[in-house]
């Protein structure tokens, strides 16, 4: 427990140094990518796993993001599983308080080379939005930090490499429908000084991401308590774009680039089939501009898992 508190203080200290964004559009929370130290031994033990989770994130201009998610994983064989995940978000901040369904994630994970030194698994996933990222409040088209979904349909492809307690993942998240329905332009609200602080995202087009994740799982002697530190890097491939008031598509300068996040997961098994997992994460390298509303200075999560 002392170790967990020490790492938590270390992670949270990044927030004081650089209160900018953890830019994850969903790919790193897909079951097989988040749990990338689970190899062939995790398949086939039980047929079903249900996870109920809650997370809190401190977002752009001190917005508070509360997300609840329900996830179901079904093992089809000793090497293949399918997962579905549904999220619901509530966001509060200086412009509005909003809530609604976020995204549905569907993914398939197939393990191969399971008898070799480095086990591998291939992930194919799809992110399906439940809205078009155009939530309004009092007639105002809200900026992206107040949207419960990016409003894009995305394809996710990933590859895990697992050796004992170490996991490495490379993945891409590519929008198939990159243009959302957001209509926010700051100049439309000249009398609202707060709105001018947000980037324009009218008919927003978001580019893809490339992810690298490295994790190491430490299980303590009692087999009930574990720690899994993780380094997550996300490279946003190109500048995002929007339509200005003259209907001309403009690039959002410096919205491409690298984000690096430090994450710690602490697990506690209640018994052989259930347990809790606490997660803490914060960025220490960020993109200059993050118009997609994914800025997070710190994220905390708590999951309850049960398998049967």
């Amino acid at each position: 427990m002392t170790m967990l508190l020490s790492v938590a203080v270390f992670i949270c200290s990044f927030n004081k140094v650089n209160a900018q964004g953890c830019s994850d559009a969903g790919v790193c929370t897909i079951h097989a990518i988040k749990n990338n130290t689970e190899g062939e031994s995790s398949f086939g033990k039980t047929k079903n796993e249900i996870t109920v989770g809650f997370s809190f994130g401190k977002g752009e201009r001190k917005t508070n993001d509360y997300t609840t998610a329900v996830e179901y994983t079904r093992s089809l064989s000793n090497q293949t599983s399918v997962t579905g995940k549904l999220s619901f978000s509530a966001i509060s901040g200086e412009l509005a308080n909003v809530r609604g369904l976020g995204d549905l994630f569907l993914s398939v994970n197939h393990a191969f080379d399971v008898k070799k030194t480095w086990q591998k698994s291939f992930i194919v996933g799809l992110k399906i939005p439940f809205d078009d990222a155009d939530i309004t409040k009092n007639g105002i088209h809200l900026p992206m930090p107040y949207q419960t979904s990016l409003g894009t349909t995305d394809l996710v492809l990933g590859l895990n490499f697992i050796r004992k307690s170490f996991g490495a993942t490379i993945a891409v998240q590519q929008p198939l429908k990159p243009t959302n329905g957001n209509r926010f332009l700051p100049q439309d609200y000249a009398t609202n000084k707060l709105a001018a602080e947000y980037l324009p995202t009218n008919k927003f087009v978001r580019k893809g991401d490339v992810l690298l994740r490295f994790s190491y799982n430490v299980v303590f002697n009692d087999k009930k308590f574990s720690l899994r530190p993780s380094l997550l890097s996300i490279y946003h491939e190109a500048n995002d774009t929007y339509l200005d008031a003259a209907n001309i598509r403009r690039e959002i300068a410096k919205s491409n680039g690298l984000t690096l996040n430090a994450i710690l997961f602490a697990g506690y098994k209640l018994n052989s089939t259930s347990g809790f997992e606490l997660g803490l994460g914060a960025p220490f390298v960020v993109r200059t501009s993050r118009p997609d509303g994914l800025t997070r200075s710190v994220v905390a999560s708590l999951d309850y898992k049960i398998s049967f």
Side-chain angles (χ1 to χ4, degrees):
M1 185 58 68
T2 301
M3 183 186 298
L4 174 59
L5 291 174
S6 298
V7 178
V9 171
F10 175 68
I11 288 175
C12 290
S13 69
F14 286 123
N15 182 34
K16 297 178 182 178
V17 174
N18 190 351
Q20 300 184 75
C22 178
S23 191
D24 167 44
V27 61
C28 84
T29 62
I30 285 180
H31 181 87
I33 294 175
K34 178 182 177 182
N35 302 287
N36 70 338
T37 58
E38 295 182 356
E40 179 266 344
S41 61
S42 66
F43 286 89
K45 286 187 175 180
T46 58
K47 290 290 185 182
N48 308 282
E49 180 180 284
I50 294 175
T51 301
V52 179
F54 172 80
S55 67
F56 168 77
K58 200 68 177 178
E60 187 172 340
R61 293 189 57 79
K62 299 182 179 180
T63 54
N64 297 311
D65 190 314
Y66 306 90
T67 299
T68 301
V70 178
E71 179 183 89
Y72 172 67
T73 298
R74 171 76 177 181
S75 292
L76 302 180
S77 70
N78 288 337
Q79 293 177 248
T80 305
S81 65
V82 294
T83 299
K85 180 180 178 181
L86 179 64
S87 64
F88 180 91
S89 293
I91 304 166
S92 63
E94 60 190 3
L95 292 184
N97 297 324
V98 300
R99 61 181 181 272
L101 287 172
D103 299 294
L104 174 65
F105 292 90
L106 301 172
S107 62
V108 178
N109 181 34
H110 179 73
F112 60 99
D113 286 347
V114 295
K115 302 302 181 184
K116 294 187 177 181
T117 302
W118 285 92
Q119 298 180 37
K120 305 174 186 69
S121 69
F122 185 71
I123 304 107
V124 179
L126 192 66
K127 181 180 79 70
I128 304 168
F130 276 93
D131 66 52
D132 207 23
D134 191 30
I135 295 175
T136 62
K137 198 72 172 180
N138 299 325
I140 296 177
H141 296 282
L142 293 171
M144 288 301 296
Y146 291 87
Q147 304 299 327
T148 58
S149 169
L150 289 174
T152 61
T153 301
D154 298 353
L155 174 68
V156 175
L157 299 174
L159 187 62
N160 283 337
F161 300 86
I162 304 161
R163 182 175 181 178
K164 296 181 178 179
S165 297
F166 176 77
T169 301
I170 182 169
V172 295
Q173 179 168 350
Q174 187 61 46
L176 302 176
K177 185 184 81 68
T179 306
N180 69 19
N182 193 268
R183 295 175 61 186
F184 176 74
L185 288 171
Q187 58 265 40
D188 289 344
Y189 310 99
T191 59
N192 190 330
K193 294 181 180 180
L194 296 176
E197 300 295 328
Y198 296 85
L199 290 169
T201 47
N202 181 45
K203 297 300 179 182
F204 182 60
V205 172
R206 189 180 191 277
K207 304 301 183 179
D209 294 313
V210 178
L211 172 147
L212 283 174
R213 179 173 222 153
F214 301 97
S215 304
Y216 189 82
N217 194 46
V218 180
V219 179
F220 291 85
N221 290 334
D222 61 4
K223 300 290 179 85
K224 286 195 170 186
F225 186 61
S226 64
L227 287 177
R228 189 172 79 253
S230 181
L231 181 65
L232 173 66
S233 68
I234 303 170
Y235 186 78
H236 196 55
E237 297 169 348
N239 285 332
D240 301 321
T241 66
Y242 74 101
L243 286 182
D244 68 10
N247 213 35
I248 297 172
R249 185 154 293 279
R250 305 282 188 184
E251 280 197 358
I252 302 172
K254 299 182 179 179
S255 56
N256 67 329
L258 181 68
T259 301
L260 285 176
N261 304 283
I263 306 169
L264 178 69
F265 297 103
Y268 182 79
K269 284 188 175 181
L270 297 174
N271 50 51
S272 61
T273 60
S274 66
F276 289 96
E277 185 174 77
L278 172 68
L280 294 169
F284 56 95
V285 175
V286 296
R287 292 182 286 147
T288 302
S289 296
R290 298 165 307 281
D292 43 28
L294 296 178
T295 294
R296 299 290 183 271
S297 59
V298 66
V299 175
S301 64
L302 180 63
D303 292 345
Y304 171 71
K305 302 180 181 182
I306 184 168
S307 56
F308 53 96

